[in-house]
Amino acid sequence: MGRRGGQGAVQGGGILQPYMVSAFAETFGMTPEALQAELDGGKRMYDIAIEKGYTAEQFTELMTTARTSALAEAVAAGVITQEQADWMLQRWQTRQAGGFAAGNCPMQTTP
């Protein structure tokens, strides 16, 4: 799920990947395996959300909800601590507040 940067991709393929896929799959009414197959086929999570009828604005909300759910599931599974989850969520909210550009880097404006 994370080989690609840009809008809709989740960076890395790290410990949250299966939890993110599961959260989005539930939202999209898909199995995690079906969603992962689409991602492996080159689609971005954003692309799939748009195909499912979500808007770009709704996708931002979906990403935050999925990440929050994924973090809670990872804590429940003992994969990460609550302290780590809190840090990751805070970091995500800080990045999101700055906006995203290609590669999920915070957008910067030039004077």
Side-chain angles (χ1 to χ4, degrees), residues 34-55:
L35 179 55
Q36 187 63 55
E38 293 216 23
L39 296 168
D40 290 345
K43 288 187 180 179
R44 299 176 302 165
M45 197 67 76
Y46 177 82
D47 300 327
I48 298 165
I50 296 299
E51 289 174 4
K52 297 286 184 181
Y54 292 94
T55 66

Side-chain angles (χ1 to χ4, degrees), residues 86-99:
D86 293 343
W87 180 85
M88 289 177 189
L89 186 58
Q90 189 275 330
R91 182 172 179 255
W92 172 256
Q93 290 168 339
T94 299
R95 289 180 66 202
Q96 185 181 22

Side-chain angles (χ1 to χ4, degrees), residues 27-110:
T27 298
F28 295 155
M30 303 172 73
T31 66
E33 295 80 14
L35 179 55
Q36 187 63 55
E38 293 216 23
L39 296 168
D40 290 345
K43 288 187 180 179
R44 299 176 302 165
M45 197 67 76
Y46 177 82
D47 300 327
I48 298 165
I50 296 299
E51 289 174 4
K52 297 286 184 181
Y54 292 94
T55 66
E57 293 78 21
Q58 289 171 320
F59 180 76
T60 300
E61 294 172 28
L62 291 175
M63 183 62 88
T64 299
T65 300
R67 180 164 292 275
T68 302
S69 175
L71 288 168
E73 290 294 321
V75 168
V79 174
I80 60 173
T81 66
Q82 184 62 55
E83 182 179 36
Q84 290 169 317
D86 293 343
W87 180 85
M88 289 177 189
L89 186 58
Q90 189 275 330
R91 182 172 179 255
W92 172 256
Q93 290 168 339
T94 299
R95 289 180 66 202
Q96 185 181 22
F100 295 106
N104 280 350
C105 295
M107 279 196 243
Q108 297 180 358
T109 57
T110 55

